[in-house]
Amino acid sequence: MAVLSLFLPPFSPDYSGVSAVLFDLKTVTAMHDASGCTGNYTGYDEPRWYGSKSPVYCSGLREIDAVLGDDEKLIQKMIGAARDIQPDLMALVGSPVPMVIGSDLTGVAAELEARTGIPSFGFDTTGTAYYDKGAAATILALLERFTEPLAIVPGSVNILGTTPMDFGRGENLRDLKKLLQDRGLSLTACLAMDYSLEALRQAAAAEINLAVSRTGLLVAAEMERRYDIPYLCGLPYGEKASEEYFAALEEARQSRQSRILKAPSEDFPGSPSSRNPDGPAEILIAGEQVQSNALRLALQRDCGESAVAVGCLFGLEPDLALPQDKDLKSEQLIGRELNRPNYRLIIADPFLEVLLQNKEKEFWPNAQYAVSSKLAEGQTARLTGSFFNRWIEINRNR
Amino acid sequence: MSCCFENTLHYSSPAHGDWGVVRIGMLAPESVQLFVCPFACGRHGAIGAMRQGFKNRLFYLYISQSDIISGYDDLIPEAVEEVFAALPKRPRVFFIFVSCLDDLIGTDHQALLEVLGAKHPDVVFRICHMNPISLGSLTPPPVSIQNNLYSLLEPSESHDHGVNSIGNLVALSPASELHDFLEAAGCGPLRHISQYETYDAYQEMAGSRANLVLAPAGKYAAGQMAEKHGLPSLFLPVSYRLKEIEEGYRRLQEFLLPGQPLTFDFSRQKEEALQAVERVRALVGSTSIIVDGSAAVRPFGLARALLEYGFSVCRIEAQECSAIDRSDMEWLRAKHPEIEIFQPQHHKAVLFQRRLPGSIAIGVDGAYLAGSRYVVDLFNDQGMFGYYGVKKLMELIEEAAKAPVDLEGLINEYGLVV
């Protein structure tokens, strides 16, 4: 159904998610479009683009190719690039026009692989879904192709679901890796930022998967089915909440049971609430669902704030949600939610502030690349571990 | 000079791009834009608009797969009403943009315009295209959006001595001698769309006596204006060669005042340009220069000019050679076969194999790909024309040669959109 947007920019689409996952690998990736879709990714969804040598290309689709369904031209361009780049794999990424003309990119990829012998993938992305869907589909396709079941290495973890759309230039991710290292855990694969094909091949050797985004949860659930690796979904934000995170991690390692960390109130009957534990939420966190959940847990454990709702900008995953959480599918719904009188504090990407009618309401910015791209990078909150507590102090003292 | 151009997968460097149709369309005074497309298609335009400060005139109707299948024509009028309701001031122009996929599904634009026009007779509606899939056709987006801009002009009952500059996105520098020339010829002022703040004031351009087309993207619009307004036009793209500049002024004189000899004295401007050339050539010496198509519409012509002035051009970056640049390319191939032609979008560009960090790059894309530390801040010939253009180019080269530049910062400042 058509949706009107008056104030916000469109968020990162599925094809950007695909390309971001392939960025680190030696891949000839072609976004099958005329130019603009590739420009979305290289210009506004990929902070690593400047200075990189990642062979992500545009196919240069033209009207006549679309009308005639000329796949051979695309195949020849891919083969030409493969000759010079010598990639480990190749990928074709869909966009709105291939969707309309019914391009079979999976079939074209199979043809490409048959002719070159290079593992090739086709992703039928459409530009009508968000980045997390494209990213998850790509990680899963890579795992299926390259990752065989292996003996578990004790104390090893995979980090699942890292893309620039959720982690920007990766400051919070680096902090997470440091925390894991400090606790004696080794990293097998970080999918999909700062990883290699070799790490991907070893991914099934991890003792546990850490799903750090909705993308990660989608991948972790499938890896549990395929490789019997349990997962912990969440992020260690805040000093106290991080202790709980690592306790949950240890428990999941021991029990081999997966767990989603989301701070339901019934888990913590004695939890202090500063104001209104039973009434409607007083704080709204609008953003990516897993990160927002982690922020909520930290607010609860470290700050005693229990009346917190999460507004999901990119779709609501029921397993991650609490009853008060909202699926904010459109700008209208986001605006309506932000302006509910029960919220005294909004935590969201700074671009969302324009929707706030009552400027007296407190707004704490936390930029997300999938929303504000490079325009608000300086307002990305560093939240991992004790950095959360410092961020709270800064905001309280503003 | 090695040649020629290959059609490969396209590499898109961080310095690749231009104004984009959103920003160009925003030149229309008192206009707003509604994009009707899958949400993904709008991301670069919206973020670019936020950077440029006109997101408050840009709106989106995101269509789903089912909307595409069932047709979205009938969804647009309601969205238009909602945009009107959200606006603090009623616009005079309402651009409805459709994207690439619309070219393939046959939306009835005319019927839509009739419905909207009947309901809002005080507003001019236009269908615009953000359809890079049509690149290579007669009306790719940079051409069709300029046509949309000038189609807003209604025929004027009278004409004055004004001359419109068409095709250039930024008004010519007031320092160009073209203004003096026009005044001396009893013509002028030289008008440009960017100088108008209201739709009514903009109509003044319909009363000009002629169109001067300074960039190729304006040629089609000028042709349409000739039919609609009877406005004659002269295509006079920017040149940095003195001989060509002189010839251009001769053609302009003949165009404006047929049969009258060129009497305007350009000797001072020409002398200043030559002095600047001498000074900067002495400063730069044999430093390698890269000429990039992002800086000039005719990179081969610019390279030829620099070679004729005695500079050391080592590379021309151009994805292809336009018809108006071909003779200069042929000249370069014959006289300077050692000069490299580099396709910035070739798939091999990402290998960054031929870096030239000590070079001076005219244009940011050339600088990025070569790793040049010295960058001439020139984009799309903006503001340039005539002897002034030569002098200004020399000043820009001089400035670039003095100190390395923060290229990433410069690219970000340009706010390019692919």
Side-chain angles (χ1 to χ4, degrees):
Chain A
M1 196 185 78
V3 175
L4 192 67
S5 176
L6 301 175
F7 300 102
L8 299 177
F11 303 152
S12 298
D14 51 3
Y15 51 67
S16 288
V18 174
S19 301
V21 168
L22 297 170
F23 177 90
D24 275 335
L25 303 179
K26 198 176 178 191
T27 310
V28 165
T29 301
M31 299 181 73
H32 197 28
D33 81 306
S35 73
C37 304
T38 308
N40 273 331
Y41 169 66
T42 60
Y44 295 106
D45 286 336
E46 183 50 86
R48 301 169 293 180
W49 192 244
Y50 192 96
S52 84
K53 294 185 176 180
S54 184
V56 180
Y57 299 108
C58 167
S59 70
L61 181 64
R62 296 291 173 263
E63 215 158 67
I64 189 70
D65 309 327
V67 171
L68 298 176
D70 190 353
D71 295 335
E72 186 58 28
K73 192 185 273 186
L74 174 62
I75 289 170
Q76 287 305 323
K77 286 182 178 179
M78 294 292 286
I79 290 173
R83 202 175 294 132
D84 292 322
I85 303 294
Q86 297 288 305
D88 293 330
L89 54 150
M90 292 196 276
L92 297 163
V93 186
S95 70
V97 167
M99 168 186 72
V100 168
I101 62 174
S103 296
D104 177 11
L105 294 181
T106 309
V108 176
E111 175 73 21
L112 200 54
E113 181 164 341
R115 290 204 212 172
T116 62
I118 301 168
S120 300
F121 300 82
F123 297 101
D124 293 323
T125 41
T126 62
T128 58
Y130 289 127
Y131 65 96
D132 53 352
K133 291 288 172 61
T138 309
I139 296 172
L140 288 172
L142 292 172
L143 286 167
E144 183 169 3
R145 183 66 187 259
F146 295 110
T147 309
E148 295 296 325
L150 292 168
I152 283 172
V153 176
S156 66
V157 301
N158 292 321
I159 302 175
L160 300 181
T162 55
T163 62
M165 294 82 185
D166 289 330
F167 287 87
R169 293 181 192 267
E171 194 172 41
N172 275 309
L173 186 56
R174 284 190 289 277
D175 292 339
L176 171 62
K177 287 178 182 176
K178 175 77 169 48
L179 281 185
L180 294 171
Q181 193 182 17
D182 290 348
R183 302 215 172 220
L185 296 163
S186 64
L187 181 62
T188 304
C190 178
L191 304 177
M193 283 175 82
D194 197 16
Y195 76 109
S196 65
L197 192 57
E198 189 47 39
L200 181 81
R201 289 185 205 277
Q202 299 297 318
E207 187 181 7
I208 190 160
N209 281 326
L210 306 179
V212 295
S213 65
R214 187 162 169 245
T215 303
L217 179 63
L218 297 171
V219 174
E222 184 59 23
M223 283 188 80
E224 183 176 41
R225 193 185 65 76
R226 275 190 208 165
Y227 310 111
D228 200 25
I229 303 175
Y231 62 83
L232 173 68
C233 181
L235 277 158
Y237 290 170
E239 286 172 3
K240 290 179 187 167
S242 290
E243 289 308 317
E244 192 171 319
Y245 177 89
F246 283 106
L249 198 161
E250 194 51 38
E251 187 193 321
R253 283 178 67 192
Q254 299 301 326
S255 68
R256 309 293 296 159
Q257 296 292 311
S258 294
R259 171 137 186 228
I260 292 172
L261 214 53
K262 59 177 176 179
S265 54
E266 61 267 26
D267 274 7
F268 312 100
S271 170
S273 169
S274 58
R275 288 172 183 82
N276 186 6
D278 303 317
E282 297 173 357
I283 299 172
L284 175 70
I285 305 167
E288 194 280 329
Q289 200 173 5
V290 172
Q291 294 186 345
S292 299
N293 269 350
L295 190 49
R296 168 164 54 192
L297 185 65
L299 282 168
Q300 186 167 23
R301 296 294 182 269
D302 286 64
C303 309
E305 298 281 4
S306 64
V308 183
V310 165
C312 305
L313 298 184
F314 311 101
L316 182 147
E317 201 65 40
D319 289 345
L320 293 171
L322 296 184
Q324 68 266 37
D325 293 350
K326 302 287 169 55
D327 187 3
L328 305 179
K329 287 179 179 171
S330 68
E331 184 178 296
Q332 285 78 3
L333 291 174
I334 298 169
R336 198 176 305 158
E337 197 61 28
L338 258 61
N339 288 299
R340 282 191 197 285
N342 50 293
Y343 298 122
R344 59 181 162 82
L345 169 65
I346 308 292
I347 301 172
D349 186 280
F351 274 22
L352 268 60
E353 194 170 7
V354 71
L355 302 174
L356 213 52
Q357 287 157 6
N358 177 3
K359 301 299 178 192
E360 300 298 306
K361 199 175 270 196
E362 208 168 354
F363 187 96
W364 291 2
N366 179 21
Q368 184 178 356
Y369 216 82
V371 177
S372 52
S373 182
K374 58 181 83 168
L375 269 61
E377 278 188 285
Q379 297 182 76
T380 305
R382 197 171 179 182
L383 297 170
T384 308
S386 58
F387 286 107
F388 165 83
N389 304 78
R390 289 182 220 173
W391 179 73
I392 289 288
E393 282 309 307
I394 291 166
N395 278 292
R396 281 180 172 163
N397 294 328
R398 273 196 308 176
Chain B
M1 174 177 281
S2 56
C3 206
C4 278
F5 303 99
E6 283 185 79
N7 185 15
T8 66
L9 294 178
H10 295 171
Y11 170 65
S12 182
S13 95
H16 174 60
D18 53 30
W19 272 33
V21 290
V22 173
R23 189 171 169 194
I24 299 173
M26 289 293 174
L27 286 170
E30 297 186 84
S31 66
V32 298
Q33 303 177 6
L34 174 68
F35 275 70
V36 181
C37 56
F39 78 84
C41 302
R43 183 156 168 80
H44 53 335
I47 303 266
M50 288 180 134
R51 191 199 292 269
Q52 304 292 339
F54 42 64
K55 177 65 181 73
N56 58 345
R57 293 164 59 197
L58 175 64
F59 312 101
Y60 290 89
L61 180 65
Y62 304 144
I63 51 173
S64 65
Q65 293 189 39
S66 61
D67 296 325
I68 295 165
I69 291 165
S70 53
Y72 45 77
D73 319 33
D74 55 342
L75 304 174
I76 295 174
E78 191 183 327
V80 167
E81 296 304 322
E82 288 190 54
V83 171
F84 275 130
L87 287 169
K89 182 172 178 278
R90 199 164 169 79
R92 298 293 299 277
V93 180
F94 204 119
F95 288 142
I96 295 168
F97 278 83
V98 290
S99 63
C100 291
L101 65 87
D102 192 81
D103 288 12
L104 305 165
I105 61 173
T107 306
D108 189 347
H109 299 143
Q110 196 50 44
L112 178 63
L113 288 176
E114 283 170 16
V115 169
L116 293 171
K119 192 154 189 204
H120 302 282
D122 57 325
V123 178
V124 181
F125 290 88
R126 290 285 184 273
I127 299 293
C128 304
H129 296 266
M130 183 181 71
N131 57 345
I133 197 171
S134 71
L135 286 167
S137 73
L138 287 175
T139 52
V143 172
S144 66
I145 186 62
Q146 294 229 14
N147 190 45
N148 282 120
L149 290 178
Y150 298 111
S151 76
L152 299 171
L153 297 174
E154 290 304 320
S156 171
E157 288 177 3
S158 60
H159 291 270
D160 60 14
H161 297 293
V163 175
N164 299 329
S165 54
I166 302 286
N168 51 323
L169 301 176
V170 170
L172 219 60
S173 167
S176 173
E177 73 282 350
L178 176 61
H179 302 284
D180 303 326
F181 167 82
L182 289 173
E183 193 180 344
C187 301
L190 186 68
R191 293 176 174 137
H192 188 259
I193 186 170
S194 64
Q195 75 189 65
Y196 299 102
E197 289 185 2
T198 68
Y199 177 77
D200 289 334
Y202 173 51
Q203 294 301 319
E204 183 183 49
M205 286 184 77
S208 294
R209 59 172 289 186
N211 282 329
L212 191 54
V213 184
L214 298 177
K219 279 177 80 175
Y220 181 81
Q224 298 297 304
M225 288 169 82
E227 280 185 26
K228 182 175 172 183
H229 303 272
L231 278 183
S233 69
L234 176 68
F235 180 48
L236 208 53
V238 176
S239 173
Y240 298 94
R241 294 181 60 216
L242 297 183
K243 233 173 118 178
E244 239 175 34
I245 292 167
E246 196 175 334
E247 175 58 21
Y249 276 118
R250 197 165 286 124
R251 288 176 57 211
L252 184 56
Q253 169 87 12
E254 181 60 24
F255 171 67
L256 294 171
L257 304 168
Q260 294 185 30
L262 182 63
T263 55
F264 187 84
D265 181 9
F266 289 105
S267 54
R268 181 178 59 81
Q269 290 85 356
K270 191 173 175 179
E271 187 53 35
E272 284 177 3
L274 280 170
Q275 281 176 6
V277 167
E278 290 297 322
R279 187 182 73 247
V280 177
R281 189 178 53 203
L283 174 78
V284 167
S286 60
T287 307
S288 297
I289 292 181
I290 296 168
V291 176
D292 162 26
S294 72
V297 170
R298 294 196 291 165
F300 293 95
L302 172 53
R304 180 176 179 177
L306 291 172
L307 287 162
E308 288 173 341
Y309 294 143
F311 289 92
S312 180
V313 177
C314 66
R315 175 184 294 174
I316 298 162
E317 274 207 18
Q319 185 58 19
E320 57 191 8
C321 181
S322 65
I324 56 167
D325 215 12
R326 196 149 296 146
S327 61
D328 287 326
M329 186 182 79
E330 295 305 328
W331 182 89
L332 285 157
R333 289 178 70 184
K335 303 280 185 187
H336 292 277
E338 77 282 3
I339 295 176
E340 177 190 15
I341 294 181
F342 189 102
Q343 279 184 277
Q345 290 177 265
H346 195 286
H347 64 240
K348 283 198 280 192
V350 77
L351 297 172
F352 298 96
Q353 285 171 327
R354 295 188 294 279
R355 306 286 268 177
L356 298 163
S359 61
I360 297 173
I362 304 178
V364 288
D365 206 9
Y368 180 80
L369 292 171
S372 310
R373 285 179 286 126
Y374 304 94
V375 186
V376 175
D377 181 10
L378 176 64
F379 184 74
N380 211 15
D381 297 315
Q382 278 175 6
M384 305 294 236
F385 192 82
Y387 299 107
Y388 160 80
V390 175
K391 187 180 156 199
K392 181 69 185 173
L393 173 67
M394 292 301 135
E395 289 168 2
L396 292 174
I397 295 174
E398 189 173 28
E399 199 175 316
K402 281 180 186 164
V405 76
D406 168 16
L407 183 60
E408 189 171 8
L410 187 60
I411 292 169
N412 281 332
E413 267 178 44
Y414 281 9
L416 303 173
V417 169
V418 174

